Amino acid sequence: MIKNNLKTYLTTKEVAALLDVNEKIVYQLINEKGLPATKVTGKWLFPRHLVEKWLEKHVVNHPGKALDFEGELVIVIGSNDLLLERTLSLYNKRYAKSVAVFGSVGSLRGIGALKDGLCHIATAHLLESDEKNYNFAYLREHFGEFLPVVVNFCFREQGLLVAPGNPKNIKSLKDLTRDDITYANRPKGTGTRVLLEHELKKLGVSFKKICGFENEFNTHLEVGLEVLSGRADTGLAIRAIAKLLGLDFIPIKRERYDLLIPKDTFFQKNIQKLLGLLQEEDFKLLAAELTGYDVSQAGRIVFPQDD
């Protein structure tokens, strides 16, 4: 009797063969996509009828659905970047039947959106506390052992924007506590805010002493405009904004900026077309027109790596 009942269950290997994926992806589908499974004596078993229902539920182009978004839409959510925005514009010009859109919500919210299945790609540049890497500690917190693919988009320079000629003679982050300095900040959860708070902690500087610390601006450009207008004396942002607005720049950190992509959608044609742009001369020309970018590693898979 037990033997007959077990015929209605699939092993991990059988489910992987049914879905045509690696067995490791099966575990990711259990954790992230709700693939029906039960654990018996330490091994996963999958009720066949529930797996079939799960597959039907996840059919993309079923009758009644207006669009099959695979290949027609790329949703990118996360950290703001000038080169990324121009790259998505290049994608939209190149592929008339596909659309790439971006939501600037900061690195941490981008990772959360990726975890919740709200986007195809998240962007992040979250410095880890030991300064040896970016993003992985935060990804493990959200995804556990089932990390997304991490692809480098660029390396870029972060620093303090100041008015032309640096009239307030700002030299470092220590000057932010001066009474005559007003700061334009980025929101909590952005990679730039994480970098600022990390550097202030190293210097033993309290953010409570910084005038304007509570004034938050959603993008690097908004911070630059605050400095350009004179409403703020300085703010942490990427070097490209300094060049764009004619501001002076005090370097603080060279950082890695990554694209985070779920393994089960990494090979979708829309994702691969966008990643393909990173190898093209047009993309390199976009980076060259700006300042403070290193795209020599653009498109390189940071994780997973071959042994």
Side-chain angles (χ1 to χ4, degrees):
M1 186 69 177
I2 295 176
K3 187 176 181 180
N4 289 336
N5 285 340
L6 287 177
K7 289 181 180 179
T8 64
Y9 290 82
L10 302 174
T11 65
T12 302
K13 185 175 181 180
E14 289 169 336
V15 170
L18 177 65
L19 302 179
D20 193 23
V21 298
N22 186 282
E23 286 186 40
K24 290 183 179 180
I25 299 297
V26 173
Y27 300 127
Q28 184 175 351
L29 293 175
I30 296 170
N31 185 53
E32 298 179 14
K33 302 294 184 180
L35 179 64
T38 183
K39 215 167 192 179
V40 179
T41 63
K43 295 182 179 180
W44 286 105
L45 291 177
F46 304 80
R48 183 188 296 272
H49 72 290
L50 293 180
V51 171
E52 290 172 350
K53 287 184 179 179
W54 180 87
L55 279 171
E56 290 176 3
K57 181 181 177 182
H58 287 79
V59 170
V60 175
N61 58 338
H62 56 79
K65 188 157 183 147
L67 285 174
D68 172 5
F69 284 117
E70 181 176 333
E72 301 201 27
L73 180 66
V74 182
I75 301 174
V76 185
I77 295 180
S79 170
N80 169 242
D81 182 74
L82 193 57
L83 179 58
L84 175 70
E85 292 174 0
R86 296 190 179 189
T87 302
L88 296 182
S89 294
L90 175 62
Y91 178 94
N92 289 331
K93 290 177 183 177
R94 180 73 60 84
Y95 303 109
K97 293 185 178 180
S98 186
V99 177
V101 295
F102 174 68
S104 176
V105 299
S107 296
L108 273 178
R109 284 185 62 190
I111 290 175
L114 192 71
K115 177 69 169 67
D116 293 337
L118 300 177
C119 60
H120 296 93
I121 300 173
T123 57
H125 58 108
L126 293 161
L127 179 66
E128 298 185 11
S129 58
D130 60 4
E131 297 190 18
K132 293 180 179 179
N133 219 323
Y134 285 83
N135 301 321
F136 287 109
Y138 300 89
L139 289 172
R140 291 189 188 96
E141 183 178 336
H142 284 76
F143 292 91
E145 62 182 299
F146 305 107
L147 300 186
V149 179
V150 179
V151 178
N152 179 245
F153 180 76
C154 68
F155 287 83
R156 63 184 195 177
E157 290 184 76
Q158 286 260 30
L160 291 172
L161 306 180
V162 295
N166 193 8
K168 292 289 184 77
N169 194 29
I170 297 170
K171 296 179 180 179
S172 72
L173 292 173
K174 288 184 177 180
D175 289 318
L176 300 185
T177 59
R178 284 167 35 190
D179 293 338
D180 63 333
I181 301 297
T182 300
Y183 185 75
N185 208 354
R186 296 294 308 286
K188 218 170 174 58
T190 61
T192 301
R193 177 72 166 262
V194 169
L195 172 61
L196 174 68
E197 294 183 359
H198 175 82
E199 293 296 322
L200 291 177
K201 185 177 180 180
K202 281 170 55 179
L203 293 170
V205 174
S206 172
F207 67 85
K208 294 179 181 179
K209 297 181 179 180
I210 300 175
C211 177
F213 190 87
E214 70 284 355
N215 298 330
E216 298 179 350
F217 300 92
N218 196 44
T219 67
H220 293 272
L221 179 59
E222 289 178 22
V223 169
L225 290 174
E226 288 299 297
V227 176
L228 183 66
S229 69
R231 292 187 293 269
D233 298 299
T234 188
L236 196 61
I238 54 176
R239 183 185 283 273
I241 296 299
K243 180 185 178 184
L244 183 69
L245 299 179
L247 299 171
D248 284 0
F249 184 81
I250 302 167
I252 299 294
K253 190 79 173 178
R254 181 179 184 268
E255 62 179 11
R256 196 184 78 213
Y257 181 95
D258 292 331
L259 308 177
L260 316 173
I261 309 167
K263 292 177 182 177
D264 56 347
T265 59
F266 181 76
F267 290 105
Q268 281 186 193
K269 59 184 179 181
N270 52 350
I271 306 301
Q272 289 301 306
K273 285 193 293 189
L274 178 58
L275 294 179
L277 286 182
L278 306 187
Q279 308 302 320
E280 295 192 11
E281 192 62 28
D282 286 346
F283 169 74
K284 295 174 183 177
L285 289 173
L286 287 178
E289 289 171 0
L290 301 169
T291 300
Y293 285 102
D294 175 359
V295 294
S296 61
Q297 301 296 311
R300 180 178 69 88
I301 296 177
V302 179
F303 177 86
Q305 293 181 329
D306 294 332
D307 295 331

